[in-house]
Amino acid sequence: MIDDEVLAGIEAVLMITDSAVTADELATSLGLDEDTVLEAIAALKADYDGDETHRQRGFEIRHVAGGFRIFSRGDYHEVVKDFLTSGQSAKLSQAALETLAVIAYRQPISRPRIAAIRGVSVDGVIRTLLLRGLIVEAGKEASTSALLYATTPQFLDTMGMNSIDDLPDIAPYLPEDADVAELGAEDTEVLAEIDGDLDEDDDLPAIPHAQATGAAEDTGDDIADERTEMSRVDV
């Protein structure tokens, strides 16, 4: 039988990681052998799955990318999605606000370009902004097929603006095209039109439930944004 301290240690590591952790990495960090780690993970997984006498947990351990990670259970994807898009999570993190500003001023823009401007990964916050209906996939770069993102009418409504032209002038504070290569509209293939027909009742882009908590909400820093993937969607 696996010691409770071992089980708790593995849980603690898996709860805070933002990527899959291998059995070898867990064994090294906890001073255990790999077989003990695998046995402990199996025990935790069985505990989370529940049985006749114990309830099933809202989260689970999955074997992904050669390692292990805790995700919110797929059965509750809609619950997590509703929470993330409801007033309970109305406040965006600083990371999400910065990412949204970059998209608003440089749209259409790809995820790699956004990351280059901000200097950090933006995967989590992009997922959250998509779920909130503030941005949408708007095309792709012809040369790399990288998806481009643009703001939506819901963004304008939230910001109290009639058009993107109402944005204050902050161009002097953004990187020059010489520093970050520009993606011109003429080089993109349109995937989705952004127009007045898009409203709050339209379907939001589908987010795999395994990502639907990397979004969870915003504690105001990039780490928290990326980590919310416990059904994991990142504001």
Side-chain angles (χ1 to χ4, degrees):
M1 184 174 180
I2 302 296
D3 186 81
D4 286 345
E5 286 295 318
V6 172
L7 297 175
I10 292 176
E11 280 183 316
V13 172
L14 295 181
M15 280 289 186
I16 60 90
T17 184
D18 58 0
S19 61
V21 182
T22 66
D24 180 63
E25 290 172 329
L26 286 169
T28 299
S29 64
L30 296 173
L32 303 170
D33 61 83
E34 193 169 328
D35 288 341
T36 300
V37 168
L38 292 174
E39 185 180 352
I41 288 175
L44 288 172
K45 188 178 186 304
D47 181 37
Y48 298 163
D49 289 343
D51 53 30
E52 295 80 5
T53 58
H54 297 87
R55 71 175 181 83
Q56 182 186 76
R57 306 293 183 86
F59 50 87
E60 61 186 337
I61 293 180
R62 296 182 198 165
H63 185 250
V64 295
F68 299 92
R69 193 172 179 185
I70 290 178
F71 293 87
S72 61
R73 199 171 290 276
D75 295 343
Y76 305 104
H77 169 61
E78 290 301 319
V79 174
V80 174
K81 178 180 175 181
D82 289 345
F83 171 76
L84 290 171
T85 56
S86 71
Q88 298 179 60
S89 301
K91 185 178 179 181
L92 290 175
S93 68
Q94 184 65 31
L97 291 172
E98 291 174 4
T99 300
L100 185 57
V102 171
I103 294 171
Y105 280 93
R106 288 298 185 89
Q107 60 186 303
I109 185 172
S110 68
R111 188 177 311 203
R113 272 207 65 219
I114 299 169
I117 291 173
R118 292 201 58 230
V120 295
S121 172
V122 295
D123 291 358
V125 289
I126 288 292
R127 286 192 295 270
T128 298
L129 294 174
L130 284 169
L131 278 175
R132 298 289 187 85
L134 296 173
I135 63 171
V136 70
E137 293 175 1
K140 64 181 179 181
E141 184 188 9
S143 59
T144 66
S145 295
L147 286 175
L148 300 171
Y149 298 93
T151 56
T152 64
Q154 184 175 328
F155 165 79
L156 295 176
D157 182 64
T158 300
M159 297 298 170
M161 298 184 298
N162 290 318
S163 72
I164 292 299
D165 294 335
D166 294 336
L167 284 169
D169 183 16
I170 64 167
Y173 302 100
L174 292 177
E176 295 295 334
D177 290 345
D179 299 322
V180 182
E182 185 73 3
L183 295 177
E186 68 276 5
D187 296 327
T188 67
E189 174 185 342
V190 175
L191 295 181
E193 295 289 345
I194 310 302
D195 55 34
D197 294 332
L198 181 64
D199 56 37
E200 295 180 1
D201 295 328
D202 291 331
D203 291 337
L204 295 173
I207 303 295
H209 70 258
Q211 298 176 346
T213 288
E217 179 79 18
D218 316 12
T219 58
D221 57 42
D222 291 307
I223 295 176
D225 289 323
E226 296 294 342
R227 188 167 294 150
T228 325
E229 255 209 49
M230 275 197 43
S231 162
R232 290 186 180 208
V233 278
D234 206 2
V235 176

